[in-house]
Amino acid sequence: MARVLPFSALIPSLESHLSADAAGAAFNAPPRASSVRPLLDRVDPTAELGRWREAGSLLRDARPALYLAEVHNPEGVLGAPPVRFLLCALAPDAAEPLESEPYRPRSAQVEPTVTLAADDHGVLKGLLAEAAERGSVVWQGTFQGAPMSLRRIEPSPVARRIQAVLDDAPLRPLAELDARRPSLAAVVPLSDPGLHFEPVHRAIKGVSTFQEDTFLRLVTAYARVYELDEPLTSARGVALASERLATMVRGQHAVLLVLPEGRGKILRFRQGLDLAHLKAAPRNPTLRSLDLALLNALVLRTVMGIQEPEAPGHPQVFAIQGLDALVRDVRAGTFQVGFALNPPPLWEVRAVMEAAQSLPPKTLRVEPAPPAGLLFLDPEA
């Protein structure tokens, strides 16, 4: 049975310049156009979608098709090519989420689930580029000031080749799929050069036994400690620390320790650690190579004594998006200490997919992503 399906789309009337919902979106939920908020604020957005359709507020494309969203990163390089997402329907059993405890959409027919597709030889990337040249434009404009377009991929040999490639390729959505009906998905090949993973950092509070001097002494059993070139009290200091963390040699693993008063240190994990015999370490060797897994096992569990630091809703461990926010909140005393991470490199994510394993909760975010509100999957089709 096919996993990736064309679908009957419900298309709203869109302005040429879309603004983002001021309320933001939950972690790993797609960004939201402000126009879709009244729908997602309903108790049952899928049922409300049906009412919008019956009221004639949406144009129904009765001919099932695939769609292509071309998304530019608002912070990307001027003139850089867009990231191409295939908008399609995913069968309920199409794939397992990439992360454990993934985001659960308010409506899987309204919010497009970003789905990573292995594309080791660039075949899917090439097919999406071909589809972009031949597809008919449904909408073209901007979202948050960045150019964006939506194209319909007519039933054609190219559309069938895309489906055939994706029926065999490893797929991993970043949100939970609807167990009863197809989900709207935004599939992106890992080979797309504009695809960017954003890290998700960790902040700690409420650990009564934490003492900085004791922690730094104990952590040396697992990591070398390096001083920063400049404190984290200025934009330059934060940028230098982020750059130093990001330029670690491949195969080395490190985190940025964020301390009160704008202080910080680099913790580079020692090579050759026998993690297989460490009770707190993941059993799978692929997962043991992840920075977040090492942080959880060696630092949070073993050194700090925090039980199950990867558990969702942990009362002492908090996921923080953005290094600036982490530094600010530690300096303000909201958190005792923070740990900034690099995003997992593409090859590590690909290895996790190949091993059929799951990343820890809230490991990464994908940028850019198509917003909810460009089109919807007709739940009654």
Side-chain angles (χ1 to χ4, degrees):
M1 180 179 175
R3 297 188 297 167
V4 175
L5 307 166
F7 65 101
S8 296
L10 299 174
I11 302 174
S13 177
L14 297 174
E15 298 178 354
S16 58
H17 302 288
L18 300 181
S19 59
D21 183 0
F27 178 83
N28 261 346
R32 296 177 180 178
S34 56
S35 57
V36 82
R37 184 174 182 181
L39 180 58
L40 291 173
D41 279 350
R42 294 290 185 174
V43 174
D44 187 344
T46 302
E48 182 67 13
L49 182 64
R51 287 190 282 270
W52 283 20
R53 181 194 61 227
E54 295 302 322
S57 302
L58 303 167
L59 174 65
R60 183 175 185 270
D61 186 349
R63 303 168 300 159
L66 302 172
Y67 291 80
L68 186 75
E70 294 186 306
V71 184
H72 287 264
N73 194 327
E75 300 177 359
V77 178
L78 186 64
V83 179
R84 295 189 173 101
F85 292 84
L86 179 76
L87 298 180
C88 61
L90 277 188
D93 59 350
E96 292 295 321
L98 179 63
E99 298 181 344
S100 56
E101 301 292 336
Y103 170 67
R104 294 182 178 181
R106 295 274 294 121
S107 170
Q109 290 71 47
V110 174
E111 298 177 88
T113 294
V114 172
T115 301
L116 303 179
D119 189 36
D120 298 342
H121 302 289
V123 175
L124 178 60
K125 181 181 67 174
L127 287 171
L128 294 183
E130 185 176 346
E133 293 179 356
R134 300 183 180 186
S136 54
V137 176
V138 176
W139 173 84
Q140 198 163 20
T142 64
F143 176 67
Q144 293 182 294
M148 184 177 297
S149 65
L150 178 66
R151 301 173 186 271
R152 189 179 194 273
I153 304 175
E154 302 293 338
S156 62
V158 171
R160 289 190 289 272
R161 286 161 62 199
I162 290 173
Q163 283 185 264
V165 167
L166 288 175
D167 279 339
D168 292 330
L171 298 176
R172 299 298 291 272
L174 294 181
E176 190 174 89
L177 299 181
D178 192 320
R180 298 177 299 166
R181 53 169 73 101
S183 299
L184 179 62
V187 179
V188 60
L190 285 175
S191 59
D192 193 308
L195 188 66
H196 181 63
F197 294 155
E198 287 286 340
V200 184
H201 312 301
R202 294 300 188 264
I204 309 299
K205 73 175 182 180
V207 180
S208 59
T209 57
F210 177 78
Q211 296 291 332
E212 182 179 325
D213 291 343
T214 303
F215 170 82
L216 290 173
R217 186 177 70 254
L218 294 176
V219 82
T220 56
Y222 305 103
R224 295 185 182 276
V225 181
Y226 298 89
E227 298 294 333
L228 297 181
D229 298 323
E230 294 187 17
L232 303 172
T233 52
S234 66
R236 172 184 164 84
V238 172
L240 287 174
S242 179
E243 182 179 279
R244 185 170 174 186
L245 184 65
T247 52
M248 285 287 172
V249 176
R250 177 171 172 159
Q252 293 186 347
H253 300 275
V255 298
L256 170 62
L257 172 65
V258 179
L259 295 164
E261 302 172 355
R263 294 175 296 115
K265 300 177 187 294
I266 296 287
L267 306 182
R268 181 171 66 80
F269 294 108
R270 296 182 182 275
Q271 294 180 303
L273 291 172
D274 188 6
L275 299 179
H277 294 87
L278 188 65
K279 184 178 180 180
R283 296 300 91 192
N284 186 277
T286 300
L287 297 181
R288 288 201 296 268
S289 69
L290 299 172
D291 289 353
L292 179 55
L294 293 172
L295 174 68
N296 284 336
L298 301 178
V299 179
L300 303 188
R301 280 178 177 258
T302 305
V303 176
M304 298 186 70
I306 298 174
Q307 299 300 311
E308 299 183 356
E310 67 280 357
H314 198 287
Q316 296 172 310
V317 183
F318 299 82
I320 303 293
Q321 299 183 31
L323 179 55
D324 288 333
L326 179 65
V327 172
R328 181 190 66 237
D329 289 348
V330 172
R331 290 184 67 187
T334 305
F335 300 109
Q336 291 171 281
V337 65
F339 298 93
L341 298 112
N342 285 318
L346 187 149
W347 64 268
E348 282 191 349
V349 174
R350 180 66 181 90
V352 170
M353 295 171 67
E354 185 69 27
Q357 296 295 311
S358 296
L359 293 173
K362 298 184 177 180
T363 296
L364 58 80
R365 292 186 301 115
V366 167
E367 294 286 351
L374 294 180
L375 53 63
F376 311 113
L377 189 154
D378 187 352
E380 301 302 324

